Amino acid sequence: MSRIMMNRRKLLTIGSVAGTSALVSGCDAFDGVLAGRSPVRNFMESTANGLSYRVQRFLIGGHSLAQEFAEADIRQPMRPNGITAPADDTYKALSANAFADYRLEVGGMVQKPLSLSLVELMTMPARTQITRHDCVEGWSCIAKWTGVPLSQVLDLAVVKSEARYIVFHCLDTIERGLSGEVKYYESIDLVDARHPQTILAYGMNDERLPVSNGAPLRLRVERQLGYKMAKYIRAIEVVSDLAAFGFGKGGYWEDRGYEWYAGI
Ligand SMILES: Nc1nc2c(c(=O)[nH]1)N[C@H]1C(S)=C(S)[C@@H](COP(=O)(O)O)O[C@H]1N2
Ligand SMILES: [Mo]
């Protein structure tokens, strides 16, 4: 028993070092901290990333809930961050028509690939929750989110047994560089995907989700940091491995040094 406690404390110490580095690195695309790669930092990141994932799964289990708040706690509008008005033609065409032509594609390792309209998503049983969004930049907002639990969409599609992760493909281009256009993407494991508070949100503070906050559909995965919560979702892909996407780290920001498991 005492040996386990020691190990756990050691793991938590390393985990909190990783948390500190995430806090200073921020969300800006041209962040100086990300530019300075060092072998030590790379090591700390990869070690702490794996450890904080395992420690959190061990300590809090797969299904503990993130804190939920009361209506009175919603004191400010949800501060938009990252891409807030996608300039992509496909997106602009969809939004010009109030997303009537929008389809969420669900594919990959599923038995029944789906193509769901917003109305179809909205007629599925919904969940509403008031939760706090924490960005690595160091700010938080409490807002009310309404959407369809991701687990329901996965059950409709029937996930195959080899599946391990869910990849979210987004409509917005976050980077235009020499190597071409990069679209935002993210991924979570099936434990978080099936968590009761993990929803595909189309409503915010009792209104339709605004464009700045990810219309028509964005992820809420309440036990993780803000960059995990993909906005402007185009497609959901069920996969067994993340290596094929971006630089293989599981998300746009992860490819640039952030932790894949951003548990809070
Ligand atoms: N598609 C997409 N999703 C995204 C981002 C983005 O730029 N594009 N930014 C991320 C970051 S860093 C944060 S903090 C939240 C911001 O969500 P908000 O605009 O509703 O505050 O979205 C996340 N999801
Ligand atoms: Mo963020």
Side-chain angles (χ1 to χ4, degrees):
M1 179 64 191
S2 68
R3 215 180 105 220
I4 294 175
M5 292 304 290
M6 280 288 288
N7 286 344
R8 205 196 285 180
R9 192 166 303 146
K10 211 167 103 197
L11 299 189
L12 283 172
T13 311
I14 299 172
S16 65
V17 172
T20 313
S21 77
L23 274 177
V24 294
S25 48
C27 274
D28 294 323
F30 301 105
D31 189 319
V33 179
L34 290 178
R37 309 298 305 171
S38 76
V40 175
R41 191 180 152 164
N42 286 343
F43 172 77
M44 284 303 290
E45 267 170 8
S46 59
T47 312
N49 201 2
L51 288 180
S52 65
Y53 175 69
R54 292 199 295 275
V55 166
Q56 290 220 14
R57 284 283 180 269
F58 175 62
L59 291 180
I60 66 177
H63 283 278
S64 65
L65 297 179
Q67 186 179 1
E68 294 194 15
F69 297 81
E71 298 271 347
D73 298 318
I74 307 172
R75 283 189 212 92
Q76 48 182 339
M78 180 71 195
R79 168 184 162 164
N81 198 42
I83 299 295
T84 54
D88 306 75
D89 288 340
T90 328
Y91 184 84
K92 286 196 283 192
L94 287 170
S95 90
N97 201 14
F99 301 104
D101 302 319
Y102 171 82
R103 291 285 179 285
L104 170 71
E105 308 295 339
V106 184
M109 293 178 158
V110 295
Q111 280 168 28
K112 299 177 192 161
L114 307 169
S115 177
L116 300 168
S117 72
L118 213 45
V119 173
E120 285 172 315
L121 288 163
M122 285 173 173
T123 46
M124 291 172 72
R127 180 185 165 93
T128 293
Q129 59 205 26
I130 302 174
T131 51
R132 196 186 64 218
H133 177 102
D134 298 303
C135 175
V136 286
E137 286 173 339
W139 52 269
S140 302
C141 289
I142 292 173
K144 183 182 195 176
W145 304 98
T146 301
V148 53
L150 177 56
S151 60
Q152 288 191 33
V153 175
L154 296 178
D155 287 345
L156 262 188
V158 190
V159 171
K160 293 185 180 172
S161 56
E162 321 86 273
R164 290 189 62 195
Y165 306 103
I166 309 294
V167 176
F168 301 90
H169 297 283
C170 304
L171 288 157
D172 55 318
T173 297
I174 180 143
E175 194 177 305
R176 291 186 171 76
L178 292 175
S179 48
E181 294 192 342
V182 183
K183 289 217 156 58
Y184 202 90
Y185 81 102
E186 255 304 337
S187 61
I188 57 176
D189 69 6
L190 278 173
V191 176
D192 268 323
R194 293 199 173 279
H195 185 271
Q197 289 169 316
T198 299
I199 62 174
L200 298 171
Y202 45 73
M204 191 187 88
N205 296 338
D206 297 316
E207 312 270 349
R208 284 282 284 267
L209 183 65
V211 164
S212 55
N213 299 105
L217 201 66
R218 71 96 50 88
L219 179 68
R220 295 299 308 169
V221 47
E222 303 294 355
R223 298 181 307 175
Q224 297 212 41
L225 287 171
Y227 61 85
K228 299 299 293 184
M229 314 216 192
K231 307 196 284 187
Y232 317 113
I233 299 173
R234 173 181 65 76
I236 289 177
E237 193 174 351
V238 182
V239 301
S240 61
D241 190 59
L242 299 171
F245 307 96
F247 299 143
K249 296 287 195 323
Y252 173 78
W253 283 114
E254 289 85 334
D255 284 339
R256 284 147 190 87
Y258 284 22
E259 294 172 33
W260 176 76
Y261 188 73
I264 45 177

